[in-house]
């Protein structure tokens, strides 16, 4: 009787293992397997943020620091890349809905976003600055002077959050061009734009005729930027991070940075004092 029970138990266990194996075979494909199967990485970007994601004037081709990093990552992963242009607010919604696989648009890494999304390793380090009118600095000496001032930007960015915290009045845009943002400060429709130092430095060089400058005394919020993906797509993150590591090692990221940021290597973290 004991022998019979033992054989029955072993037979039952074997059957369960067989069913378990079949069950595993029917498991849904991972995020990376789906991307690999279709052979395409779908990435959200704005197409309006110089020098991160913009269209060349001569050819209208989409390019920029983030865009070219994504192109190289896709190439090394043997994938085609499809860019979908949209405002920042739509990028996060599109990630959660699965409309896009990732977003790349100088997107800052912070704890609030890390709770809801996943990030690749960072490939840009910078800090916050303030574009103001050149002739009077828009009446701003420190961040405390933002109270009551008209701050331009998109409502969900970390920079607009900072403006709100200091009591500024929001003037929001829907995927507007750099020229519109900067011209509005110059003519007094708005007073200040809080944003990334490198982005604002380069944007100002394109419009030297405008009455705008980067505030000489305001530096804040050291930041990092990376590609952002839907929470839990760690297999995709692992693949992308592997390629990013190769690109750092062989100097590709540094070269792209210097190309798009006027010779500056934004892939290296700076040691600066901040407010």
């Amino acid at each position: 009787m004991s022998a019979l029970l033992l054989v029955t138990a072993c037979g039952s266990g074997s059957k369960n293992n067989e069913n378990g194996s079949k069950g595993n075979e029917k498991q849904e494909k991972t995020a990376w397997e789906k991307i690999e199967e279709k052979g395409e990485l779908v990435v959200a970007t704005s197409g309006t943020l110089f020098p991160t994601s913009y269209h060349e004037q001569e050819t209208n081709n989409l390019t920029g620091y983030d865009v070219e990093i994504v192109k190289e990552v896709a190439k090394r992963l043997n994938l085609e890349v499809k860019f979908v242009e949209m405002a920042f607010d739509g990028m996060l919604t599109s990630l959660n809905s699965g409309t896009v696989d990732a977003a790349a648009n100088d997107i800052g890494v912070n704890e609030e976003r890390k709770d809801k999304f996943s990030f690749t390793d960072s490939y840009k380090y910078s800090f916050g600055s303030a574009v103001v009118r050149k002739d009077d600095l828009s009446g701003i000496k420190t961040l405390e002077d933002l109270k009551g001032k008209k701050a331009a930007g998109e409502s969900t960015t970390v920079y607009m959050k900072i403006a709100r915290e200091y009591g500024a009045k929001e003037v929001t845009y829907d995927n507007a061009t750099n020229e519109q943002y900067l011209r509005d400060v110059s003519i007094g429709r708005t007073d200040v734009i809080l944003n990334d130092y490198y982005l604002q430095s380069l944007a100002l060089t394109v419009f030297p005729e405008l009455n705008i400058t980067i505030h000489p005394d305001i530096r804040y919020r050291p930041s990092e930027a990376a590609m952002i993906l839907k929470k839990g797509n760690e297999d995709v993150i692992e693949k992308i991070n592997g390629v990013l590591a190769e690109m750092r090692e062989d100097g590709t990221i540094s070269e792209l940075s210097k190309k798009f940021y006027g010779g500056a290597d934004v892939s290296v973290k700076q040691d600066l004092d901040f407010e």
Side-chain angles (χ1 to χ4, degrees), residues 162-181:
I162 291 171
R164 281 195 296 268
E165 288 174 352
Y166 281 93
K169 298 176 182 178
E170 294 181 57
V171 179
T172 58
Y173 296 75
D174 183 15
N175 215 28
T177 63
N178 284 329
E179 181 176 5
Q180 183 177 350
Y181 276 106

Side-chain angles (χ1 to χ4, degrees), residues 1-155:
M1 179 65 72
S2 297
L4 178 60
L5 287 173
L6 182 60
V7 171
T8 303
C10 289
S12 176
S14 176
K15 186 174 181 179
N16 286 339
N17 288 338
E18 183 179 345
N19 289 338
S21 298
K22 289 180 180 179
N24 290 336
E25 290 174 3
K26 294 179 181 178
Q27 283 183 351
E28 185 179 352
K29 291 183 174 67
T30 66
W32 168 249
E33 288 170 341
K34 290 177 182 177
I35 291 171
E36 191 174 34
E37 186 176 79
K38 68 183 179 182
E40 182 180 68
L41 186 67
V42 182
V43 180
T45 194
S46 69
T48 60
L49 185 61
F50 179 85
T52 289
S53 171
Y54 66 99
H55 288 268
E56 292 179 322
Q57 190 170 1
E58 299 80 6
T59 65
N60 201 39
N61 291 335
L62 182 67
T63 189
Y65 181 56
D66 281 54
V67 168
E68 296 304 325
I69 284 178
V70 169
K71 287 179 182 178
E72 184 64 21
V73 166
K75 178 181 176 182
R76 297 191 187 198
L77 289 174
N78 297 314
L79 298 171
E80 297 293 324
V81 60
K82 176 183 177 182
F83 289 102
V84 182
E85 296 178 35
M86 62 183 72
F88 176 71
D89 293 356
M91 295 179 195
L92 303 185
T93 301
S94 296
L95 284 172
N96 279 330
S97 68
T99 306
V100 300
D101 301 310
N105 199 67
D106 196 54
I107 299 173
V109 180
N110 59 47
E111 293 304 317
E112 182 179 352
R113 287 179 185 157
K114 286 167 75 172
D115 286 341
K116 301 174 182 177
F117 299 91
S118 292
F119 284 91
T120 65
D121 291 338
S122 298
Y123 47 76
K124 177 171 177 263
Y125 298 89
S126 188
F127 55 93
S129 62
V131 166
V132 292
R133 282 183 291 281
K134 187 185 297 184
D135 55 8
D136 64 354
L137 301 183
S138 297
I140 297 170
K141 293 182 179 180
T142 68
L143 289 177
E144 282 74 15
D145 296 320
L146 290 175
K147 186 174 182 179
K149 298 294 183 179
K150 292 173 287 185
E154 292 188 39
S155 61

Side-chain angles (χ1 to χ4, degrees), residues 216-228:
D217 302 320
I218 294 179
R219 293 189 301 193
Y220 58 94
R221 192 186 167 272
S223 62
E224 302 179 17
M227 293 174 64
I228 186 171

